[in-house]
Amino acid sequence: MASTPPPADGADVPGPPGEVAWSCLNGARVLDLSRLLPGPFATMLLADLGADVVKVEDAASGGDPLRAFGRRRFAVNNRNKRSVALDLRSAEGRAAFLRLAGRADAVVESFRPGVLDEMGLGYERLRAANPGIVLCSLSGFGQDGPYAGRPGHDLNFLGLSGFFAVPSRPDAEVTRPGVRVGDLIGSMYAALSLAVAMMSAGRNGTGQHLDLSLHDAATAWAGPAALSLAGLAAPSDSPLVMGDNSVFATSDGRLLSLATFEDKFWRAFRERLAGTFPDLDTAAFDGRAERTRRKREVERILTRTFAARDLAWWSRVLDEAGVPWAPVLTGPDDLLNDPHIAARELIADTADGPAVRFPTRFGLGLDTFRRPAPELGEHTAELLGEAAPARSEAARGGAA
């Protein structure tokens, strides 16, 4: 693991501590009313890239419910942010929030549709306080439609997105991934949409309301693959389902992934192994179309083949063959000890434990871990007491 993060900024682009001086988001302020995973992850991406993200939390209820899971779990989605404690049920709290909104670039919320309006803080009220503000409403099913009022979580959005319609191997049942894919897909669309909307508002002075449905986002990812199954007798008949692009168990109970999609890789694989495994001593599967048509037979052959040797043996032989393969990492220690992750300094030691940096390497530098996740209300006095700052040229789009 990398014990220290890379420099915060390029040597020729100095900036104050905690800022990313070269970023077009430097100086842009986002008020974050969201909780748990989707909204906070989206705003953390913006914070990593230089935006001033302010978590607006209710001290009486303990703030973001994720805090109840412990400091370390909360920190995963909330680094590089500040926190202000406001009671938005009170007139005083709402007035303070509107003052903050008057000098902000965006507000992110994850209430059910209509809740923010009922609080007197909907888009029209925010726009009256700040014509250039962007409101991102991140909800399960969007602001309208027959499902709009439904409660929901990651698994529900995936279930309605077409995700479970797409098998990964010939006879495998599609199961729920351990990672909250549905939430994270929506988070990434939210971060992208917010960045574009804020830069656009900076150029033309006009804000807008973003209606981002986690179900819509999940469908945008899973839907195309699900729709490609139309007209097939069975989902596994899809050409996207293959017997040789899969995960296999070795004799010592380890897992490896093989991805011989291109014919040249399959030929290299079977030519290297044909002398040891007679099932592979045939050119019958050298063409992609035939391997796909006979996917179940190919999968059975590969399952038997990989089960005959341990992972160390396969590591040597598959590297020699030069085919796309990789061991399947199944625990946190595997990640921490992976030499490539270490060389790329992808994981760093922080005060809140090991953490993964923002994945893009910027030529001008980016310190992902500039500011630890805030304590509840840590910056309340600082934020409410400051004078309305002049918006930077970058925040107004001048750096575009």
Side-chain angles (χ1 to χ4, degrees):
M1 293 194 305
S3 58
T4 56
D9 298 290
D12 57 342
V13 189
E19 293 188 357
V20 184
W22 57 262
S23 174
C24 64
L25 292 177
N26 189 38
R29 179 173 291 179
V30 179
L31 304 181
D32 185 7
L33 290 166
S34 67
R35 306 179 297 173
L36 297 174
L37 174 57
F41 185 76
T43 56
M44 186 187 72
L45 296 178
L46 298 176
D48 283 355
L49 294 174
D52 176 19
V53 175
V54 178
K55 284 186 72 70
V56 181
E57 302 182 80
D58 179 11
S61 65
D64 188 332
L66 203 58
R67 290 186 182 275
F69 289 82
R71 165 79 190 182
R72 185 169 178 178
R73 186 66 192 88
F74 173 77
V76 169
N77 299 318
N78 289 287
R79 63 185 177 228
N80 295 323
K81 301 179 185 181
R82 296 190 285 172
S83 172
V84 60
L86 294 177
D87 180 5
L88 298 182
R89 294 166 297 185
S90 70
E92 180 182 15
R94 291 192 294 272
F97 179 78
L98 288 171
R99 287 197 299 273
L100 289 174
R103 53 184 185 263
D105 295 273
V107 172
V108 178
E109 61 100 358
S110 58
F111 299 112
R112 289 196 199 181
V115 169
L116 205 63
D117 286 311
E118 293 170 2
M119 297 169 65
L121 299 174
Y123 177 62
E124 294 304 322
R125 183 65 186 88
L126 293 174
R127 187 170 67 171
N130 180 353
I133 202 160
V134 174
L135 171 62
C136 179
S137 294
L138 189 61
S139 63
F141 298 102
Q143 299 301 298
D144 55 25
Y147 301 160
R150 282 187 179 185
H153 284 295
D154 172 271
L155 185 58
N156 311 126
F157 314 139
L158 287 180
L160 287 167
S161 72
F163 177 88
F164 290 93
V166 185
S168 60
R169 52 196 306 167
D171 297 307
E173 178 183 356
V174 183
T175 58
R176 181 219 173 116
V179 175
R180 301 300 189 259
V181 176
D183 285 345
L184 294 174
I185 293 169
S187 297
M188 297 176 74
Y189 276 113
L192 173 62
S193 302
L194 278 160
V196 171
M198 285 192 292
M199 289 299 295
S200 299
R203 289 179 175 178
N204 58 38
T206 304
Q208 58 180 306
H209 187 185
L210 308 180
D211 173 4
L212 202 150
S213 155
L214 295 171
H215 167 243
D216 287 356
T219 304
W221 272 33
L227 292 172
S228 72
L229 304 176
L232 298 178
S236 59
D237 290 341
S238 168
L240 299 177
V241 179
M242 307 170 197
D244 54 324
N245 278 26
S246 194
V247 173
F248 300 94
T250 60
S251 65
D252 54 345
R254 302 290 298 277
L255 299 175
L256 63 80
S257 60
L258 182 73
T260 50
F261 180 83
E262 297 99 329
D263 292 341
K264 64 179 181 179
F265 289 128
W266 174 265
R267 287 196 300 271
F269 171 76
R270 65 101 170 159
E271 287 169 1
R272 173 63 180 82
L273 293 160
T276 307
F277 299 100
D279 284 346
L280 294 174
D281 190 14
T282 174
F285 306 119
D286 280 1
R288 175 73 267 165
E290 190 64 11
R291 286 201 305 285
T292 300
R293 189 181 72 82
R294 298 170 66 179
K295 62 186 73 175
R296 290 173 178 79
E297 183 179 355
V298 169
E299 184 181 47
R300 286 193 294 271
I301 290 172
L302 292 179
T303 298
R304 290 196 300 268
T305 299
F306 284 114
R309 296 288 189 277
D310 63 18
L311 182 63
W313 190 90
W314 283 114
S315 296
R316 177 177 60 81
V317 170
L318 294 176
D319 281 345
E320 290 173 358
V323 299
W325 85 279
V328 174
L329 306 185
T330 56
D333 288 343
D334 293 337
L335 286 175
L336 295 173
N337 296 322
D338 184 82
H340 188 74
I341 288 176
R344 296 281 296 175
E345 297 185 315
L346 193 57
I347 298 177
D349 284 317
T350 74
D352 294 306
V356 181
R357 65 168 171 81
F358 193 91
T360 304
R361 280 183 168 178
F362 291 88
L364 292 179
L366 180 72
D367 177 3
T368 299
F369 310 106
R370 301 183 305 280
R371 186 194 297 269
E375 298 297 335
L376 176 58
E378 179 180 347
H379 306 95
T380 300
E382 173 186 325
L383 287 159
L384 297 184
E386 68 185 16
R391 303 259 293 284
S392 71
E393 284 298 316
R396 294 196 299 268

